[in-house]
Amino acid sequence: MKKVPMRKCIVTGEILEKNQLIRVVRNKEGEVFIDPTRKMNGRGAYLKKDLEVIKKCQKNKILNRRLEVEIPDSIYEGLVKMI
């Protein structure tokens, strides 16, 4: 039986399967990307595919603290489109 990779949502603290989460990555240059492949190099953070979670993350600047960089609004807009 194949083991299902589990990751923790940085907003809710829930441990979920990777396919229920969206990965956001900061590379060495400090650029931030949404990572649909979940394989890009860099510091990653996982968010539950939930509109409320994305809004709470943006309002409380959780992603900014986790990735230690200012997150542009375009990233949040991209996350909302993915849901």
Side-chain angles (χ1 to χ4, degrees):
M1 194 168 134
K2 197 171 177 203
K3 191 169 175 243
V4 180
M6 305 290 272
R7 295 292 181 268
K8 187 174 181 176
C9 172
I10 63 167
V11 177
T12 64
E14 292 174 89
I15 309 264
L16 299 162
E17 293 178 19
K18 264 174 110 174
N19 61 9
Q20 294 177 305
L21 299 159
I22 303 170
R23 185 168 186 252
V24 181
V25 180
R26 173 184 50 91
N27 65 14
K28 284 189 174 81
E29 288 75 45
E31 298 169 309
V32 180
F33 303 99
I34 297 170
D35 179 9
T37 62
R38 302 185 190 94
K39 290 184 168 83
M40 285 171 74
N41 286 336
R43 178 128 181 99
Y46 289 89
L47 293 165
K48 187 177 176 182
K49 290 181 183 174
D50 183 325
L51 213 52
E52 291 302 310
V53 169
I54 305 300
K55 285 179 185 168
K56 184 177 177 185
C57 182
Q58 187 172 12
K59 183 173 162 257
N60 299 335
K61 298 192 181 299
I62 296 168
L63 207 50
N64 296 28
R65 287 197 303 271
R66 182 57 56 102
L67 297 180
E68 298 166 355
V69 68
E70 193 62 41
I71 308 296
D73 288 340
S74 60
I75 293 289
Y76 291 108
E77 287 159 20
L79 290 169
V80 169
K81 283 189 186 124
M82 284 183 76
I83 294 173

